[in-house]
């Protein structure tokens, strides 16, 4: 279909909607309290406001023209996908169930609002204008982070006790990464912690049992200048 409009009035029991791959420019859902799933990716929608939809679980609005987004007090949302839009700020207040948030390929320069999401496990924010992610270390629930294609200069996830996966490629300003997570999980570095295509990367701190693994990874990616140790200092013998 190539719908340019859709009328949802008179459907108070509507609980799932899939309107992907159309030409919709606007849509109103707030009179549908039973909604659980919204799939509206690949449209032309410019604005989305959802408030107090207590049953809503998934909201997929990837590849629209969103420049305004607020989702307030929808406590059951676990998955929100808003990549490939025009967003520079969003309001996600009161969504205590949100676990996965995808906001890649937008216009964000600041995503510190995610610290107010109490159960966030996965943050995908690649392809933005972000220069500072210092706050991610305060998100104790964080497990997965994709921050490739941004402007950050340093990244520290050593204080995230459940952290498992980092994608941090194509950051031209990246100088240092701290990945000393203290767990001897089995690890495929290429898939779990890709750090290639960071031309100014100088230093990576990891657990001592991963130093050789990371060193070999950087050599194989022609990044021989990257210093890898477990001291979390540029100077060997520095503070652990």
């Amino acid at each position: 279909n190539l719908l340019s409009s859709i009328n949802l009035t008179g459907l108070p029991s509507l609980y799932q909607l899939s309107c992907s791959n159309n030409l919709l420019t606007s849509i109103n859902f707030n009179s549908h309290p039973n909604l659980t799933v919204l799939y509206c990716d690949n449209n032309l929608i410019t604005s989305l406001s959802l408030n107090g939809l207590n049953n809503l679980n998934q909201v997929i609005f990837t590849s629209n023209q969103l420049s305004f987004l607020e989702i307030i007090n929808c406590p059951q949302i676990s998955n929100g996908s808003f990549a490939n839009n025009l967003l520079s700020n969003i309001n996600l207040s009161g969504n205590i169930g949100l676990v996965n948030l995808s906001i890649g390929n937008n216009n964000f320069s600041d995503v510190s609002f995610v610290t107010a999401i109490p159960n966030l496990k996965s943050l995908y924010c690649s392809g933005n204008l972000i220069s500072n992610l210092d706050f991610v270390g305060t998100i104790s629930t964080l497990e997965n982070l994709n921050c490739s294609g941004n402007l950050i200069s340093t990244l520290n996830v050593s204080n995230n006790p459940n952290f498992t996966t980092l994608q941090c490629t194509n950051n031209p300003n990246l100088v240092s990464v701290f990945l000393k997570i203290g767990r001897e999980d089995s690890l495929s570095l290429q898939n779990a912690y890709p750090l290639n295509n960071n031309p100014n990367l100088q230093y990576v701190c990891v657990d001592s049992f991963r130093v050789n693994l990371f060193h070999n990874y950087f050599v194989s990616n022609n990044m021989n200048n990257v210093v890898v140790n477990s001291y979390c200092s540029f100077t060997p013998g520095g503070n652990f």
Side-chain angles (χ1 to χ4, degrees):
N1 296 321
L2 290 175
L3 298 174
S4 58
S5 64
I6 187 169
N7 187 348
L8 301 177
T9 57
L11 298 172
S13 299
L14 183 68
Y15 69 96
Q16 291 187 353
L17 176 66
S18 177
C19 57
S20 303
N21 304 309
N22 281 287
L23 299 173
L24 299 173
T25 57
S26 64
I27 196 163
N28 187 336
F29 301 105
N30 285 323
S31 59
H32 301 87
N34 296 308
L35 276 171
T36 61
V37 175
L38 293 176
Y39 289 98
C40 299
D41 49 306
N42 293 301
N43 277 283
L44 301 171
I45 297 169
T46 59
S47 176
L48 176 64
S49 179
L50 303 173
N51 194 335
L53 299 179
N54 291 329
N55 299 308
L56 192 60
N57 181 258
Q58 295 193 58
V59 183
I60 311 300
F61 272 74
T62 304
S63 299
N64 276 276
Q65 298 291 316
L66 289 175
S67 59
F68 177 83
L69 172 64
E70 64 173 12
I71 301 177
I72 303 171
N73 297 325
C74 298
Q76 298 300 319
I77 287 181
S78 63
N79 184 27
S81 183
F82 312 104
N84 304 322
N85 279 286
L86 303 171
L87 297 165
S88 58
N89 192 25
I90 56 180
N91 184 351
L92 297 175
S93 304
N95 301 307
I96 60 174
L98 188 59
V99 173
N100 304 309
L101 178 62
S102 176
I103 52 173
N105 298 314
N106 277 282
N107 295 321
F108 290 100
S109 59
D110 181 3
V111 292
S112 59
F113 59 84
V114 300
T115 59
I117 304 173
N119 295 298
L120 187 66
K121 291 184 178 180
S122 299
L123 174 61
Y124 305 100
C125 58
S126 60
N128 280 285
L129 303 169
I130 301 163
S131 60
N132 189 333
L133 285 175
D134 291 350
F135 53 85
V136 297
T138 68
I139 306 174
S140 61
T141 55
L142 190 66
E143 298 178 4
N144 309 298
L145 174 64
N146 184 339
C147 57
S148 296
N150 279 287
L151 301 172
I152 60 173
S153 59
T154 187
L155 180 68
N156 190 343
V157 291
S158 296
N159 296 319
N160 299 83
N162 300 306
F163 199 80
T164 60
T165 308
L166 171 68
Q167 293 186 19
C168 190
T169 66
N170 300 298
N171 276 277
N173 298 339
L174 188 64
V175 173
S176 57
V177 176
F178 300 88
L179 269 168
K180 192 173 182 179
I181 59 178
R183 300 191 315 273
E184 294 194 50
D185 316 64
S186 59
L187 175 64
S188 172
L189 191 148
Q190 183 67 50
N191 294 325
Y193 296 104
L195 289 165
N196 49 300
N197 297 325
N198 294 308
N200 290 304
L201 185 62
Q202 299 178 34
Y203 178 68
V204 175
C205 177
V206 296
D207 297 282
S208 58
F209 48 83
R210 290 200 176 101
V211 169
N212 288 337
L213 178 68
F214 273 75
H215 173 76
N216 293 337
Y217 166 80
F218 288 122
V219 170
S220 68
N221 282 278
N222 298 313
M223 300 170 69
N224 298 352
N225 58 311
V226 179
V227 174
V228 182
N229 65 35
S230 62
Y231 301 106
C232 292
S233 164
F234 279 97
T235 305
N239 295 327
F240 283 89

